[in-house]
Amino acid sequence: MPAVTLRSLLFCTALWLCASAAFAQGTYQRTKDGRTTVWNDHPKSGDVATWAGGRDREGYATGFGTLTWYRERQEKSIIYARYFGNMVRGKFEGPVNAHSKGKTAHAFFTEGARTSPWAMGPAPS
């Protein structure tokens, strides 16, 4: 294999590994009331959540419920999205409906990560 091709292959592999690590920055966090733990796949400074649904013995969100994300800004909470779906150990699993800015979309999740593109309208039953 020519040296240029080998270097290109190594560079592309390293770039892919860095990109994969960058996209895997999710973390668990406590809800605003401190009672429930939920997964935040893309954490940003000022993210605050509430969970309306069940909790398991360890405090993780479980079962069907509503996860509401807020952005804290200067002592003011601004809702930026509501998600309706099934949680397993604090992570969405299966079809999830999202409501934001007056619109509804749905996607499918596996272990808290979106595995399909967002599609307009609610998830099919």
Side-chain angles (χ1 to χ4, degrees), residues 36-123:
T36 310
T37 301
V38 295
W39 181 252
N40 187 344
D41 203 33
H42 300 287
K44 294 178 184 74
S45 178
D47 282 352
V48 178
T50 60
W51 170 249
R55 283 181 299 284
D56 64 18
R57 290 182 178 175
E58 296 174 358
Y60 290 96
T62 190
F64 188 84
T66 303
L67 180 65
T68 304
W69 285 105
Y70 299 84
R71 186 89 7 98
E72 292 283 317
R73 294 211 176 129
Q74 300 172 351
E75 300 181 27
K76 190 176 181 183
S77 295
I78 300 167
I79 296 174
Y80 66 87
R82 279 195 173 96
Y83 297 89
F84 302 88
N86 187 54
M87 287 273 200
V88 176
R89 196 164 172 79
K91 295 180 176 183
F92 278 119
E93 189 69 36
V96 174
N97 289 320
H99 301 282
S100 180
K101 298 179 182 176
K103 296 182 181 176
T104 300
H106 70 277
F108 291 86
F109 284 70
T110 301
E111 294 183 13
R114 187 168 46 89
T115 57
S116 72
W118 288 107
M120 292 309 298

